[in-house]
Amino acid sequence: MMSASRRTSIRSYHIRTFGCQMNVHDSEHVAGLCEQMGYEWTGSADEADLLIFNTCCVRQGAEDRLWGNLASLAHAEGARGLVAVCGCVAESRGVEILARFPEVGLVFGMEALGRLPQLIERSLVARVCDTGEVEEAEIDALPARRENTLRARVPVSHGCDNNCAYCVVPLVRGGERSRPASDIVEEVGALARAGVVEIELLGQNVNSYGGDLDEKVSFAEILGRVAGVPGIRRVKFETSHPRDLGREVLVAMSECGPLCEYLHLPVQSGSDRVLKAMNRGYDAGYYKETAALARQIVPGIKITTDIIVGFPGEDREDFERTLDLVRTVEFDAAYMFMYSPREGTPAWLLEDDVPVAEKKRRLAELSRLQGKITVNSLEKMSGARVEVLVEGLGRDPGQVVGRTRGNQVVVLDGSEAPLESLVTARVVSAGRHSLKGRVYEVLLEGGRQGTRRE
Ligand code: SAH
Ligand code: SF4
């Protein structure tokens, strides 16, 4: 049954994004197309004529949140606009979403993004599912609506060629496709001319960039070329794979001013046995050496990581090794997850033998340990002079938040630091997850320099 009261014309849209930075970036393209079609952004999901869910299926929890959101639409009162589902769950579930949720009128994969205007037209008449194929380059060229005029996300590659046993990403996003170096550098050049000063390069494994291209360009070279674009002051990138992170990337980071002192280097586990079962291609010793090398070559570098607890077969001793590694490396922050079996992955065939209660205990123990280390890392910044790119409003009225070059969150007084500005500040105190700063100087303001793009 299709919602009888569905609106037939679209004036406003809202996007709810789940998942990784790549999804956030994909949503910028979806928003760019919506704006091109003349739709206006609304902050209210309930009032939007077009409500789009950009979805994530990397863990069951992320998928469940989508199902919860869709189920609650069924109970919502009043006229409901067109509901669309795109992204990873759209890729993996396709028409099943239409079958389960009558409120959904359109399901599309990112490859179908270029056809979005036609798909929306068609789905106002009948329900549509399109998860077809199109060249990646065409998606990168689509318009984007970025949330901040000073910073932009730029993919260097799409998909992933690794085969980490737990991971569904290669299944839904396909194998690795690197963008030609010239496309990346041209895009960054255009962004810089429009006033962007910070670039975040994205890829599931940025360090293997270029392996599939005829023109052999390494990721370190890309970093150098992007950092050399006039006007670009800060370059960050994620995600680095420990096995593929070469010394030349670290050297580039130490030599090249705009390259920020920040490395996201997911370790996943500190146990060699588990790392092997995960098919990660390195052991704990190698990881520790790599992290130590990064700290040696790039002074002041902040290193963050991802860790999974409760992978099949992980026993107490394996988990202790993860705790050991965390104590040794002293990550500046970590994202920690309970293992979630994903259909179609190699680990799906293994028995998910760590009970949920035990996974929760391990996650809590690990979070407690990392929490203390994060606080230490933040406290070490007390009194430091930092450069902050202000990204948005803070939790309390009058506050804004931004990030340092090391990617630490800094809360500032909004009367001192305008939204979308680059400032220098002194760190006055450290909290559990963020720093508090006092502004010295506003270096740049985005919106007011006429850089705001519609
Ligand atoms: N390409 C990146 C990101 C992958 S997904 C990388 O290689 O790190 C982001 C994180 O989600 C992963 O690093 C991993 O820690 C976590 N993750 C992925 N699949 C998972 C699963 N099945 N269960 C729990 N956590 C998972
Ligand atoms: Fe998944 Fe591993 Fe690829 Fe990251 S490197 S996306 S964890 S398969």
Side-chain angles (χ1 to χ4, degrees), residues 58-59 166-167 169 204-205 239 241 266 268 280 306-308 337-342:
V58 80
R59 286 171 293 277
Y166 50 81
C167 185
V169 170
Q204 299 298 342
N205 177 6
T239 299
H241 192 295
Q268 313 299 359
R280 287 289 289 179
D306 294 345
I307 300 171
I308 299 175
F337 312 104
M338 291 189 284
Y339 169 68
S340 165
R342 306 313 288 145

mmCIF file with all atom_site columns, all heavy atoms in Angstrom, residues 58-59 166-167 169 204-205 239 241 266 268 280 306-308 337-342, ligand 1:
data_model
loop_
_atom_site.group_PDB
_atom_site.id
_atom_site.type_symbol
_atom_site.label_atom_id
_atom_site.label_alt_id
_atom_site.label_comp_id
_atom_site.label_asym_id
_atom_site.label_entity_id
_atom_site.label_seq_id
_atom_site.pdbx_PDB_ins_code
_atom_site.Cartn_x
_atom_site.Cartn_y
_atom_site.Cartn_z
_atom_site.occupancy
_atom_site.B_iso_or_equiv
_atom_site.pdbx_formal_charge
_atom_site.auth_seq_id
_atom_site.auth_comp_id
_atom_site.auth_asym_id
_atom_site.auth_atom_id
_atom_site.pdbx_PDB_model_num
ATOM   1   N N   . VAL A 1 58  ? 27.526 -1.367  8.007  1.00 0.00 ? 58  VAL A N   1
ATOM   2   C CA  . VAL A 1 58  ? 28.800 -1.943  8.441  1.00 0.00 ? 58  VAL A CA  1
ATOM   3   C C   . VAL A 1 58  ? 28.633 -2.769  9.720  1.00 0.00 ? 58  VAL A C   1
ATOM   4   O O   . VAL A 1 58  ? 29.313 -3.771  9.914  1.00 0.00 ? 58  VAL A O   1
ATOM   5   C CB  . VAL A 1 58  ? 29.884 -0.847  8.558  1.00 0.00 ? 58  VAL A CB  1
ATOM   6   C CG1 . VAL A 1 58  ? 29.791 -0.058  9.835  1.00 0.00 ? 58  VAL A CG1 1
ATOM   7   C CG2 . VAL A 1 58  ? 31.267 -1.434  8.405  1.00 0.00 ? 58  VAL A CG2 1
ATOM   8   N N   . ARG A 1 59  ? 27.704 -2.356  10.569 1.00 0.00 ? 59  ARG A N   1
ATOM   9   C CA  . ARG A 1 59  ? 27.344 -3.163  11.740 1.00 0.00 ? 59  ARG A CA  1
ATOM   10  C C   . ARG A 1 59  ? 25.830 -3.286  11.804 1.00 0.00 ? 59  ARG A C   1
ATOM   11  O O   . ARG A 1 59  ? 25.109 -2.412  11.315 1.00 0.00 ? 59  ARG A O   1
ATOM   12  C CB  . ARG A 1 59  ? 27.858 -2.512  13.036 1.00 0.00 ? 59  ARG A CB  1
ATOM   13  C CG  . ARG A 1 59  ? 29.361 -2.649  13.246 1.00 0.00 ? 59  ARG A CG  1
ATOM   14  C CD  . ARG A 1 59  ? 29.853 -1.809  14.401 1.00 0.00 ? 59  ARG A CD  1
ATOM   15  N NE  . ARG A 1 59  ? 29.716 -0.398  14.090 1.00 0.00 ? 59  ARG A NE  1
ATOM   16  C CZ  . ARG A 1 59  ? 30.597 0.298   13.375 1.00 0.00 ? 59  ARG A CZ  1
ATOM   17  N NH1 . ARG A 1 59  ? 31.675 -0.272  12.924 1.00 0.00 ? 59  ARG A NH1 1
ATOM   18  N NH2 . ARG A 1 59  ? 30.391 1.567   13.116 1.00 0.00 ? 59  ARG A NH2 1
ATOM   19  N N   . TYR A 1 166 ? 35.619 -9.583  8.743  1.00 0.00 ? 166 TYR A N   1
ATOM   20  C CA  . TYR A 1 166 ? 34.369 -9.111  9.344  1.00 0.00 ? 166 TYR A CA  1
ATOM   21  C C   . TYR A 1 166 ? 33.631 -8.116  8.476  1.00 0.00 ? 166 TYR A C   1
ATOM   22  O O   . TYR A 1 166 ? 32.521 -7.722  8.784  1.00 0.00 ? 166 TYR A O   1
ATOM   23  C CB  . TYR A 1 166 ? 34.697 -8.415  10.689 1.00 0.00 ? 166 TYR A CB  1
ATOM   24  C CG  . TYR A 1 166 ? 35.806 -7.394  10.543 1.00 0.00 ? 166 TYR A CG  1
ATOM   25  C CD1 . TYR A 1 166 ? 35.533 -6.133  10.055 1.00 0.00 ? 166 TYR A CD1 1
ATOM   26  C CD2 . TYR A 1 166 ? 37.133 -7.728  10.817 1.00 0.00 ? 166 TYR A CD2 1
ATOM   27  C CE1 . TYR A 1 166 ? 36.548 -5.210  9.853  1.00 0.00 ? 166 TYR A CE1 1
ATOM   28  C CE2 . TYR A 1 166 ? 38.158 -6.816  10.620 1.00 0.00 ? 166 TYR A CE2 1
ATOM   29  C CZ  . TYR A 1 166 ? 37.853 -5.563  10.132 1.00 0.00 ? 166 TYR A CZ  1
ATOM   30  O OH  . TYR A 1 166 ? 38.852 -4.656  9.906  1.00 0.00 ? 166 TYR A OH  1
ATOM   31  N N   . CYS A 1 167 ? 34.242 -7.655  7.383  1.00 0.00 ? 167 CYS A N   1
ATOM   32  C CA  . CYS A 1 167 ? 33.817 -6.385  6.783  1.00 0.00 ? 167 CYS A CA  1
ATOM   33  C C   . CYS A 1 167 ? 32.959 -6.528  5.529  1.00 0.00 ? 167 CYS A C   1
ATOM   34  O O   . CYS A 1 167 ? 33.306 -7.231  4.581  1.00 0.00 ? 167 CYS A O   1
ATOM   35  C CB  . CYS A 1 167 ? 35.047 -5.553  6.461  1.00 0.00 ? 167 CYS A CB  1
ATOM   36  S SG  . CYS A 1 167 ? 34.608 -3.918  5.862  1.00 0.00 ? 167 CYS A SG  1
ATOM   37  N N   . VAL A 1 169 ? 32.098 -3.888  3.653  1.00 0.00 ? 169 VAL A N   1
ATOM   38  C CA  . VAL A 1 169 ? 32.319 -2.756  2.737  1.00 0.00 ? 169 VAL A CA  1
ATOM   39  C C   . VAL A 1 169 ? 32.641 -3.206  1.308  1.00 0.00 ? 169 VAL A C   1
ATOM   40  O O   . VAL A 1 169 ? 32.034 -2.720  0.351  1.00 0.00 ? 169 VAL A O   1
ATOM   41  C CB  . VAL A 1 169 ? 33.399 -1.790  3.297  1.00 0.00 ? 169 VAL A CB  1
ATOM   42  C CG1 . VAL A 1 169 ? 33.807 -0.750  2.263  1.00 0.00 ? 169 VAL A CG1 1
ATOM   43  C CG2 . VAL A 1 169 ? 32.896 -1.105  4.561  1.00 0.00 ? 169 VAL A CG2 1
ATOM   44  N N   . GLN A 1 204 ? 38.714 4.029   1.536  1.00 0.00 ? 204 GLN A N   1
ATOM   45  C CA  . GLN A 1 204 ? 38.680 2.965   2.549  1.00 0.00 ? 204 GLN A CA  1
ATOM   46  C C   . GLN A 1 204 ? 40.094 2.570   2.939  1.00 0.00 ? 204 GLN A C   1
ATOM   47  O O   . GLN A 1 204 ? 40.339 2.142   4.054  1.00 0.00 ? 204 GLN A O   1
ATOM   48  C CB  . GLN A 1 204 ? 37.921 1.741   2.032  1.00 0.00 ? 204 GLN A CB  1
ATOM   49  C CG  . GLN A 1 204 ? 36.465 2.004   1.684  1.00 0.00 ? 204 GLN A CG  1
ATOM   50  C CD  . GLN A 1 204 ? 35.643 2.439   2.884  1.00 0.00 ? 204 GLN A CD  1
ATOM   51  O OE1 . GLN A 1 204 ? 36.041 2.243   4.030  1.00 0.00 ? 204 GLN A OE1 1
ATOM   52  N NE2 . GLN A 1 204 ? 34.498 3.045   2.629  1.00 0.00 ? 204 GLN A NE2 1
ATOM   53  N N   . ASN A 1 205 ? 41.016 2.678   1.973  1.00 0.00 ? 205 ASN A N   1
ATOM   54  C CA  . ASN A 1 205 ? 42.415 2.378   2.231  1.00 0.00 ? 205 ASN A CA  1
ATOM   55  C C   . ASN A 1 205 ? 43.240 3.316   1.369  1.00 0.00 ? 205 ASN A C   1
ATOM   56  O O   . ASN A 1 205 ? 43.659 2.953   0.276  1.00 0.00 ? 205 ASN A O   1
ATOM   57  C CB  . ASN A 1 205 ? 42.695 0.899   1.886  1.00 0.00 ? 205 ASN A CB  1
ATOM   58  C CG  . ASN A 1 205 ? 44.152 0.524   2.069  1.00 0.00 ? 205 ASN A CG  1
ATOM   59  O OD1 . ASN A 1 205 ? 44.952 1.309   2.548  1.00 0.00 ? 205 ASN A OD1 1
ATOM   60  N ND2 . ASN A 1 205 ? 44.499 -0.687  1.666  1.00 0.00 ? 205 ASN A ND2 1
ATOM   61  N N   . THR A 1 239 ? 40.970 6.460   5.253  1.00 0.00 ? 239 THR A N   1
ATOM   62  C CA  . THR A 1 239 ? 41.575 5.719   6.335  1.00 0.00 ? 239 THR A CA  1
ATOM   63  C C   . THR A 1 239 ? 42.894 5.100   5.888  1.00 0.00 ? 239 THR A C   1
ATOM   64  O O   . THR A 1 239 ? 42.997 4.657   4.748  1.00 0.00 ? 239 THR A O   1
ATOM   65  C CB  . THR A 1 239 ? 40.616 4.596   6.776  1.00 0.00 ? 239 THR A CB  1
ATOM   66  O OG1 . THR A 1 239 ? 39.407 5.162   7.237  1.00 0.00 ? 239 THR A OG1 1
ATOM   67  C CG2 . THR A 1 239 ? 41.210 3.759   7.883  1.00 0.00 ? 239 THR A CG2 1
ATOM   68  N N   . HIS A 1 241 ? 45.609 2.079   6.126  1.00 0.00 ? 241 HIS A N   1
ATOM   69  C CA  . HIS A 1 241 ? 45.722 0.673   6.526  1.00 0.00 ? 241 HIS A CA  1
ATOM   70  C C   . HIS A 1 241 ? 47.155 0.443   7.004  1.00 0.00 ? 241 HIS A C   1
ATOM   71  O O   . HIS A 1 241 ? 48.101 0.749   6.272  1.00 0.00 ? 241 HIS A O   1
ATOM   72  C CB  . HIS A 1 241 ? 45.392 -0.236  5.340  1.00 0.00 ? 241 HIS A CB  1
ATOM   73  C CG  . HIS A 1 241 ? 45.202 -1.664  5.741  1.00 0.00 ? 241 HIS A CG  1
ATOM   74  N ND1 . HIS A 1 241 ? 46.223 -2.430  6.254  1.00 0.00 ? 241 HIS A ND1 1
ATOM   75  C CD2 . HIS A 1 241 ? 44.111 -2.453  5.724  1.00 0.00 ? 241 HIS A CD2 1
ATOM   76  C CE1 . HIS A 1 241 ? 45.758 -3.638  6.532  1.00 0.00 ? 241 HIS A CE1 1
ATOM   77  N NE2 . HIS A 1 241 ? 44.481 -3.676  6.217  1.00 0.00 ? 241 HIS A NE2 1
ATOM   78  N N   . PRO A 1 266 ? 43.419 2.304   11.941 1.00 0.00 ? 266 PRO A N   1
ATOM   79  C CA  . PRO A 1 266 ? 42.669 1.261   12.648 1.00 0.00 ? 266 PRO A CA  1
ATOM   80  C C   . PRO A 1 266 ? 43.514 0.015   12.910 1.00 0.00 ? 266 PRO A C   1
ATOM   81  O O   . PRO A 1 266 ? 44.144 -0.509  12.004 1.00 0.00 ? 266 PRO A O   1
ATOM   82  C CB  . PRO A 1 266 ? 41.521 0.935   11.684 1.00 0.00 ? 266 PRO A CB  1
ATOM   83  C CG  . PRO A 1 266 ? 41.361 2.163   10.863 1.00 0.00 ? 266 PRO A CG  1
ATOM   84  C CD  . PRO A 1 266 ? 42.752 2.695   10.691 1.00 0.00 ? 266 PRO A CD  1
ATOM   85  N N   . GLN A 1 268 ? 42.206 -2.695  15.042 1.00 0.00 ? 268 GLN A N   1
ATOM   86  C CA  . GLN A 1 268 ? 41.163 -3.736  15.160 1.00 0.00 ? 268 GLN A CA  1
ATOM   87  C C   . GLN A 1 268 ? 41.375 -4.702  16.320 1.00 0.00 ? 268 GLN A C   1
ATOM   88  O O   . GLN A 1 268 ? 40.431 -5.072  16.994 1.00 0.00 ? 268 GLN A O   1
ATOM   89  C CB  . GLN A 1 268 ? 40.971 -4.534  13.849 1.00 0.00 ? 268 GLN A CB  1
ATOM   90  C CG  . GLN A 1 268 ? 40.870 -3.701  12.576 1.00 0.00 ? 268 GLN A CG  1
ATOM   91  C CD  . GLN A 1 268 ? 39.713 -2.731  12.527 1.00 0.00 ? 268 GLN A CD  1
ATOM   92  O OE1 . GLN A 1 268 ? 38.916 -2.656  13.453 1.00 0.00 ? 268 GLN A OE1 1
ATOM   93  N NE2 . GLN A 1 268 ? 39.612 -1.951  11.465 1.00 0.00 ? 268 GLN A NE2 1
ATOM   94  N N   . ARG A 1 280 ? 44.043 -9.247  8.469  1.00 0.00 ? 280 ARG A N   1
ATOM   95  C CA  . ARG A 1 280 ? 44.459 -7.849  8.385  1.00 0.00 ? 280 ARG A CA  1
ATOM   96  C C   . ARG A 1 280 ? 45.837 -7.665  7.750  1.00 0.00 ? 280 ARG A C   1
ATOM   97  O O   . ARG A 1 280 ? 46.210 -6.563  7.364  1.00 0.00 ? 280 ARG A O   1
ATOM   98  C CB  . ARG A 1 280 ? 44.448 -7.214  9.787  1.00 0.00 ? 280 ARG A CB  1
ATOM   99  C CG  . ARG A 1 280 ? 43.056 -6.964  10.321 1.00 0.00 ? 280 ARG A CG  1
ATOM   100 C CD  . ARG A 1 280 ? 42.366 -5.828  9.597  1.00 0.00 ? 280 ARG A CD  1
ATOM   101 N NE  . ARG A 1 280 ? 42.937 -4.532  9.926  1.00 0.00 ? 280 ARG A NE  1
ATOM   102 C CZ  . ARG A 1 280 ? 42.510 -3.385  9.385  1.00 0.00 ? 280 ARG A CZ  1
ATOM   103 N NH1 . ARG A 1 280 ? 41.531 -3.381  8.497  1.00 0.00 ? 280 ARG A NH1 1
ATOM   104 N NH2 . ARG A 1 280 ? 43.078 -2.249  9.726  1.00 0.00 ? 280 ARG A NH2 1
ATOM   105 N N   . ASP A 1 306 ? 40.540 2.289   15.294 1.00 0.00 ? 306 ASP A N   1
ATOM   106 C CA  . ASP A 1 306 ? 39.285 1.539   15.452 1.00 0.00 ? 306 ASP A CA  1
ATOM   107 C C   . ASP A 1 306 ? 39.635 0.186   16.056 1.00 0.00 ? 306 ASP A C   1
ATOM   108 O O   . ASP A 1 306 ? 40.644 -0.420  15.671 1.00 0.00 ? 306 ASP A O   1
ATOM   109 C CB  . ASP A 1 306 ? 38.621 1.234   14.094 1.00 0.00 ? 306 ASP A CB  1
ATOM   110 C CG  . ASP A 1 306 ? 38.130 2.476   13.363 1.00 0.00 ? 306 ASP A CG  1
ATOM   111 O OD1 . ASP A 1 306 ? 38.028 3.549   13.978 1.00 0.00 ? 306 ASP A OD1 1
ATOM   112 O OD2 . ASP A 1 306 ? 37.838 2.344   12.156 1.00 0.00 ? 306 ASP A OD2 1
ATOM   113 N N   . ILE A 1 307 ? 38.791 -0.285  16.969 1.00 0.00 ? 307 ILE A N   1
ATOM   114 C CA  . ILE A 1 307 ? 39.026 -1.601  17.598 1.00 0.00 ? 307 ILE A CA  1
ATOM   115 C C   . ILE A 1 307 ? 37.719 -2.370  17.653 1.00 0.00 ? 307 ILE A C   1
ATOM   116 O O   . ILE A 1 307 ? 36.663 -1.801  17.970 1.00 0.00 ? 307 ILE A O   1
ATOM   117 C CB  . ILE A 1 307 ? 39.589 -1.432  19.028 1.00 0.00 ? 307 ILE A CB  1
ATOM   118 C CG1 . ILE A 1 307 ? 40.919 -0.661  18.988 1.00 0.00 ? 307 ILE A CG1 1
ATOM   119 C CG2 . ILE A 1 307 ? 39.768 -2.791  19.716 1.00 0.00 ? 307 ILE A CG2 1
ATOM   120 C CD1 . ILE A 1 307 ? 41.450 -0.262  20.349 1.00 0.00 ? 307 ILE A CD1 1
ATOM   121 N N   . ILE A 1 308 ? 37.795 -3.638  17.340 1.00 0.00 ? 308 ILE A N   1
ATOM   122 C CA  . ILE A 1 308 ? 36.621 -4.516  17.448 1.00 0.00 ? 308 ILE A CA  1
ATOM   123 C C   . ILE A 1 308 ? 36.855 -5.477  18.614 1.00 0.00 ? 308 ILE A C   1
ATOM   124 O O   . ILE A 1 308 ? 37.917 -6.094  18.698 1.00 0.00 ? 308 ILE A O   1
ATOM   125 C CB  . ILE A 1 308 ? 36.426 -5.331  16.152 1.00 0.00 ? 308 ILE A CB  1
ATOM   126 C CG1 . ILE A 1 308 ? 36.187 -4.398  14.954 1.00 0.00 ? 308 ILE A CG1 1
ATOM   127 C CG2 . ILE A 1 308 ? 35.281 -6.331  16.303 1.00 0.00 ? 308 ILE A CG2 1
ATOM   128 C CD1 . ILE A 1 308 ? 36.109 -5.113  13.612 1.00 0.00 ? 308 ILE A CD1 1
ATOM   129 N N   . PHE A 1 337 ? 34.147 -0.974  18.905 1.00 0.00 ? 337 PHE A N   1
ATOM   130 C CA  . PHE A 1 337 ? 32.905 -1.628  18.502 1.00 0.00 ? 337 PHE A CA  1
ATOM   131 C C   . PHE A 1 337 ? 32.853 -3.066  18.989 1.00 0.00 ? 337 PHE A C   1
ATOM   132 O O   . PHE A 1 337 ? 33.883 -3.723  19.098 1.00 0.00 ? 337 PHE A O   1
ATOM   133 C CB  . PHE A 1 337 ? 32.797 -1.668  16.966 1.00 0.00 ? 337 PHE A CB  1
ATOM   134 C CG  . PHE A 1 337 ? 33.086 -0.354  16.300 1.00 0.00 ? 337 PHE A CG  1
ATOM   135 C CD1 . PHE A 1 337 ? 34.302 -0.124  15.660 1.00 0.00 ? 337 PHE A CD1 1
ATOM   136 C CD2 . PHE A 1 337 ? 32.141 0.656   16.314 1.00 0.00 ? 337 PHE A CD2 1
ATOM   137 C CE1 . PHE A 1 337 ? 34.572 1.091   15.046 1.00 0.00 ? 337 PHE A CE1 1
ATOM   138 C CE2 . PHE A 1 337 ? 32.397 1.881   15.693 1.00 0.00 ? 337 PHE A CE2 1
ATOM   139 C CZ  . PHE A 1 337 ? 33.611 2.082   15.061 1.00 0.00 ? 337 PHE A CZ  1
ATOM   140 N N   . MET A 1 338 ? 31.615 -3.559  19.200 1.00 0.00 ? 338 MET A N   1
ATOM   141 C CA  . MET A 1 338 ? 31.440 -4.997  19.426 1.00 0.00 ? 338 MET A CA  1
ATOM   142 C C   . MET A 1 338 ? 31.307 -5.651  18.062 1.00 0.00 ? 338 MET A C   1
ATOM   143 O O   . MET A 1 338 ? 30.620 -5.112  17.182 1.00 0.00 ? 338 MET A O   1
ATOM   144 C CB  . MET A 1 338 ? 30.159 -5.259  20.227 1.00 0.00 ? 338 MET A CB  1
ATOM   145 C CG  . MET A 1 338 ? 30.254 -4.773  21.648 1.00 0.00 ? 338 MET A CG  1
ATOM   146 S SD  . MET A 1 338 ? 28.840 -5.347  22.607 1.00 0.00 ? 338 MET A SD  1
ATOM   147 C CE  . MET A 1 338 ? 27.575 -4.242  22.036 1.00 0.00 ? 338 MET A CE  1
ATOM   148 N N   . TYR A 1 339 ? 31.921 -6.800  17.894 1.00 0.00 ? 339 TYR A N   1
ATOM   149 C CA  . TYR A 1 339 ? 31.821 -7.512  16.618 1.00 0.00 ? 339 TYR A CA  1
ATOM   150 C C   . TYR A 1 339 ? 30.366 -7.774  16.263 1.00 0.00 ? 339 TYR A C   1
ATOM   151 O O   . TYR A 1 339 ? 29.562 -8.199  17.099 1.00 0.00 ? 339 TYR A O   1
ATOM   152 C CB  . TYR A 1 339 ? 32.586 -8.841  16.683 1.00 0.00 ? 339 TYR A CB  1
ATOM   153 C CG  . TYR A 1 339 ? 32.305 -9.721  15.493 1.00 0.00 ? 339 TYR A CG  1
ATOM   154 C CD1 . TYR A 1 339 ? 32.755 -9.352  14.225 1.00 0.00 ? 339 TYR A CD1 1
ATOM   155 C CD2 . TYR A 1 339 ? 31.544 -10.891 15.617 1.00 0.00 ? 339 TYR A CD2 1
ATOM   156 C CE1 . TYR A 1 339 ? 32.465 -10.128 13.120 1.00 0.00 ? 339 TYR A CE1 1
ATOM   157 C CE2 . TYR A 1 339 ? 31.265 -11.676 14.517 1.00 0.00 ? 339 TYR A CE2 1
ATOM   158 C CZ  . TYR A 1 339 ? 31.723 -11.281 13.268 1.00 0.00 ? 339 TYR A CZ  1
ATOM   159 O OH  . TYR A 1 339 ? 31.425 -12.045 12.171 1.00 0.00 ? 339 TYR A OH  1
ATOM   160 N N   . SER A 1 340 ? 30.034 -7.519  15.008 1.00 0.00 ? 340 SER A N   1
ATOM   161 C CA  . SER A 1 340 ? 28.671 -7.715  14.520 1.00 0.00 ? 340 SER A CA  1
ATOM   162 C C   . SER A 1 340 ? 28.744 -8.554  13.233 1.00 0.00 ? 340 SER A C   1
ATOM   163 O O   . SER A 1 340 ? 29.346 -8.119  12.251 1.00 0.00 ? 340 SER A O   1
ATOM   164 C CB  . SER A 1 340 ? 28.085 -6.323  14.248 1.00 0.00 ? 340 SER A CB  1
ATOM   165 O OG  . SER A 1 340 ? 26.938 -6.376  13.476 1.00 0.00 ? 340 SER A OG  1
ATOM   166 N N   . PRO A 1 341 ? 28.203 -9.771  13.261 1.00 0.00 ? 341 PRO A N   1
ATOM   167 C CA  . PRO A 1 341 ? 28.324 -10.628 12.071 1.00 0.00 ? 341 PRO A CA  1
ATOM   168 C C   . PRO A 1 341 ? 27.567 -10.041 10.881 1.00 0.00 ? 341 PRO A C   1
ATOM   169 O O   . PRO A 1 341 ? 26.428 -9.598  11.046 1.00 0.00 ? 341 PRO A O   1
ATOM   170 C CB  . PRO A 1 341 ? 27.645 -11.937 12.504 1.00 0.00 ? 341 PRO A CB  1
ATOM   171 C CG  . PRO A 1 341 ? 27.424 -11.830 13.976 1.00 0.00 ? 341 PRO A CG  1
ATOM   172 C CD  . PRO A 1 341 ? 27.422 -10.383 14.333 1.00 0.00 ? 341 PRO A CD  1
ATOM   173 N N   . ARG A 1 342 ? 28.200 -9.983  9.718  1.00 0.00 ? 342 ARG A N   1
ATOM   174 C CA  . ARG A 1 342 ? 27.553 -9.448  8.518  1.00 0.00 ? 342 ARG A CA  1
ATOM   175 C C   . ARG A 1 342 ? 27.476 -10.538 7.469  1.00 0.00 ? 342 ARG A C   1
ATOM   176 O O   . ARG A 1 342 ? 28.509 -11.145 7.105  1.00 0.00 ? 342 ARG A O   1
ATOM   177 C CB  . ARG A 1 342 ? 28.337 -8.253  7.950  1.00 0.00 ? 342 ARG A CB  1
ATOM   178 C CG  . ARG A 1 342 ? 28.626 -7.129  8.907  1.00 0.00 ? 342 ARG A CG  1
ATOM   179 C CD  . ARG A 1 342 ? 27.431 -6.682  9.729  1.00 0.00 ? 342 ARG A CD  1
ATOM   180 N NE  . ARG A 1 342 ? 26.434 -5.948  8.987  1.00 0.00 ? 342 ARG A NE  1
ATOM   181 C CZ  . ARG A 1 342 ? 25.119 -6.026  9.229  1.00 0.00 ? 342 ARG A CZ  1
ATOM   182 N NH1 . ARG A 1 342 ? 24.654 -6.832  10.153 1.00 0.00 ? 342 ARG A NH1 1
ATOM   183 N NH2 . ARG A 1 342 ? 24.276 -5.319  8.539  1.00 0.00 ? 342 ARG A NH2 1
HETATM 184 N N1  . SAH B 2 .   ? 38.112 1.216   5.655  1.00 0.00 ? 1   SAH B N1  1
HETATM 185 C C1  . SAH B 2 .   ? 38.129 1.561   6.986  1.00 0.00 ? 1   SAH B C1  1
HETATM 186 C C2  . SAH B 2 .   ? 36.769 1.602   7.620  1.00 0.00 ? 1   SAH B C2  1
HETATM 187 C C3  . SAH B 2 .   ? 35.967 0.411   7.638  1.00 0.00 ? 1   SAH B C3  1
HETATM 188 S S1  . SAH B 2 .   ? 34.486 0.438   8.543  1.00 0.00 ? 1   SAH B S1  1
HETATM 189 C C4  . SAH B 2 .   ? 39.126 0.635   7.666  1.00 0.00 ? 1   SAH B C4  1
HETATM 190 O O1  . SAH B 2 .   ? 39.714 -0.192  7.062  1.00 0.00 ? 1   SAH B O1  1
HETATM 191 O O2  . SAH B 2 .   ? 39.351 0.790   8.834  1.00 0.00 ? 1   SAH B O2  1
HETATM 192 C C5  . SAH B 2 .   ? 34.918 1.308   10.030 1.00 0.00 ? 1   SAH B C5  1
HETATM 193 C C6  . SAH B 2 .   ? 35.194 0.445   11.202 1.00 0.00 ? 1   SAH B C6  1
HETATM 194 O O3  . SAH B 2 .   ? 34.046 -0.312  11.547 1.00 0.00 ? 1   SAH B O3  1
HETATM 195 C C7  . SAH B 2 .   ? 36.282 -0.588  11.015 1.00 0.00 ? 1   SAH B C7  1
HETATM 196 O O4  . SAH B 2 .   ? 37.556 -0.067  11.152 1.00 0.00 ? 1   SAH B O4  1
HETATM 197 C C8  . SAH B 2 .   ? 35.956 -1.612  12.074 1.00 0.00 ? 1   SAH B C8  1
HETATM 198 O O5  . SAH B 2 .   ? 36.580 -1.303  13.306 1.00 0.00 ? 1   SAH B O5  1
HETATM 199 C C9  . SAH B 2 .   ? 34.455 -1.466  12.242 1.00 0.00 ? 1   SAH B C9  1
HETATM 200 N N2  . SAH B 2 .   ? 33.754 -2.629  11.685 1.00 0.00 ? 1   SAH B N2  1
HETATM 201 C C10 . SAH B 2 .   ? 33.692 -2.999  10.389 1.00 0.00 ? 1   SAH B C10 1
HETATM 202 N N3  . SAH B 2 .   ? 32.965 -4.128  10.261 1.00 0.00 ? 1   SAH B N3  1
HETATM 203 C C11 . SAH B 2 .   ? 32.567 -4.477  11.515 1.00 0.00 ? 1   SAH B C11 1
HETATM 204 C C12 . SAH B 2 .   ? 31.794 -5.549  12.046 1.00 0.00 ? 1   SAH B C12 1
HETATM 205 N N4  . SAH B 2 .   ? 31.311 -6.510  11.261 1.00 0.00 ? 1   SAH B N4  1
HETATM 206 N N5  . SAH B 2 .   ? 31.575 -5.580  13.373 1.00 0.00 ? 1   SAH B N5  1
HETATM 207 C C13 . SAH B 2 .   ? 32.066 -4.607  14.187 1.00 0.00 ? 1   SAH B C13 1
HETATM 208 N N6  . SAH B 2 .   ? 32.802 -3.584  13.734 1.00 0.00 ? 1   SAH B N6  1
HETATM 209 C C14 . SAH B 2 .   ? 33.060 -3.511  12.422 1.00 0.00 ? 1   SAH B C14 1
#
